[in-house]
Amino acid sequence: MRKIPFYKMSGSGNDFIIIDNRDGKMDGINLVDFVVKTCARCVSVGADGLFLIEAPKQGTDFSWQFYNSDGSVAEMCGNGSRCAARFAYLNGIAGEKMSFETLAGIIEAEIKGEPDVKVRMTQPFDYKESYTLDVKGEKLEVNSVNTGVPHCVVFSDDVESVDIMKYGPALRYHEYYAPKGTNVNFCGVDNNGHLRVRTYERGVEGETMACGTGSVACAMFAVSKGLLKSPVTIKTTSGKMLKVYLEGDKVYLEGEARVIYTGELTEEAVNY
């Protein structure tokens, strides 16, 4: 394997490996194995997921392939979309305003003043509010919506104390969301009027430092229930803030998309 240039980026706490594959440099590589190996922390780069930036197919600026850290393919990633947009801008692939293709649909993005990026999310669907599921012998009131990927939302008066590794997997694999499962969010309004969100992510199989599509899902229900008004400020587990704008049928996500470092992957990044 020849050396592969990459960017390591962070979208408000979600970290990603991004590779420009418009020249086909990744052709012939077992991508699932490559993703799992390079996303492993401590033994390789480490990340929540990996993006391949590809040539456009529908008259947009580019398209992508997105993999979770376990090698599974995800339709959409809110924080990742902001990182991909800034990567494209920094590398001359797109201007300050751009559009790109994901499995969930076409995303529009705008560089708002580096490192902030604002993206228009795909149209949410499968909106279901306030229903009850049996979870670990308890009855939980839940909400769910697909904001590019499926999300379950549970409101709590004490988000910090939620045992996310108990309830997260139980909801993620709940028969109600079979066969693909769902991402799971716990949220509540804090003393500063921010919406505190914690997310157990499908494909990472653990709590992540932030989740863009999950933040959008939580914001939608917080506004619907009259707890907050748009724009909603989200406090993520990383401590970084995201903003969600609900404007009629349009949904926007805004926050930082920082370049952590650039480098070259060697064979030793995956051969272990």
Side-chain angles (χ1 to χ4, degrees):
M1 185 183 84
R2 58 179 176 160
K3 292 182 179 179
I4 299 173
F6 74 98
Y7 273 46
K8 176 70 178 290
M9 298 189 69
S10 174
S12 302
N14 272 145
D15 58 341
F16 306 99
I17 299 165
I18 305 182
I19 297 170
D20 185 354
N21 191 43
R22 292 176 300 157
D23 60 359
K25 68 171 63 71
M26 302 299 292
D27 293 353
I29 293 176
N30 182 326
L31 289 176
V32 172
D33 183 66
F34 179 86
V35 169
V36 171
K37 291 291 185 67
T38 55
C39 287
R41 301 188 187 277
C42 300
V43 292
S44 193
V45 177
D48 291 329
L50 183 146
F51 290 94
L52 298 182
I53 303 300
E54 307 279 4
K57 304 179 183 69
Q58 304 179 46
T60 57
D61 292 288
F62 62 95
S63 61
W64 78 19
Q65 292 187 62
F66 173 52
Y67 295 86
N68 292 309
S69 60
D70 67 355
S72 61
V73 174
E75 299 89 342
M76 174 55 182
C77 178
N79 288 329
S81 67
R82 294 185 298 99
C83 289
R86 187 159 182 238
F87 175 93
Y89 174 71
L90 292 173
N91 286 277
I93 300 170
E96 290 186 353
K97 293 185 178 181
M98 69 190 78
S99 63
F100 54 94
E101 299 150 43
T102 74
L103 291 179
I106 293 176
I107 302 297
E108 298 173 355
E110 181 180 0
I111 306 299
K112 298 295 291 183
E114 298 183 276
D116 287 349
V117 179
K118 186 176 183 178
V119 296
R120 179 181 173 183
M121 307 290 284
T122 54
Q123 188 66 36
F125 63 97
D126 283 348
Y127 185 97
K128 299 174 184 177
E129 187 170 352
S130 300
Y131 57 96
T132 302
L133 292 178
D134 290 323
V135 182
K136 293 287 187 180
E138 301 177 40
K139 292 190 179 297
L140 292 184
E141 181 178 291
V142 299
N143 313 268
S144 59
V145 65
N146 192 308
T147 53
V149 287
H151 279 277
C152 169
V153 175
V154 180
F155 282 84
S156 172
D157 293 330
D158 188 0
V159 179
E160 304 300 340
S161 69
V162 171
D163 186 347
I164 199 167
M165 294 308 296
K166 174 183 177 182
Y167 295 103
L171 282 163
R172 183 259 190 266
Y173 290 104
H174 197 283
E175 62 182 3
Y176 185 84
Y177 304 112
K180 292 186 176 181
T182 187
N183 299 281
V184 183
N185 306 270
F186 301 90
C187 65
V189 181
D190 68 16
N191 294 331
N192 296 312
H194 302 146
L195 188 62
R196 174 71 173 99
V197 174
R198 296 177 64 192
T199 304
Y200 180 97
E201 283 203 47
R202 181 186 68 168
V204 176
E205 307 309 331
E207 182 176 7
T208 53
M209 292 293 100
C211 178
T213 51
S215 294
V216 169
C218 291
M220 290 178 66
F221 289 111
V223 171
S224 175
K225 294 175 186 294
L227 301 176
L228 294 169
K229 294 181 179 180
S230 176
V232 178
T233 299
I234 307 290
K235 184 178 180 181
T236 68
T237 297
S238 72
K240 300 295 184 180
M241 299 296 188
L242 291 167
K243 275 200 172 181
V244 175
Y245 302 81
L246 306 175
E247 301 176 2
D249 63 349
K250 297 179 180 178
V251 181
Y252 298 89
L253 175 68
E254 183 177 357
E256 64 172 36
R258 293 182 296 119
V259 177
I260 307 305
Y261 55 84
T262 63
E264 291 181 324
L265 290 167
T266 69
E267 289 189 10
E268 295 178 10
V270 295
N271 291 336
Y272 63 87

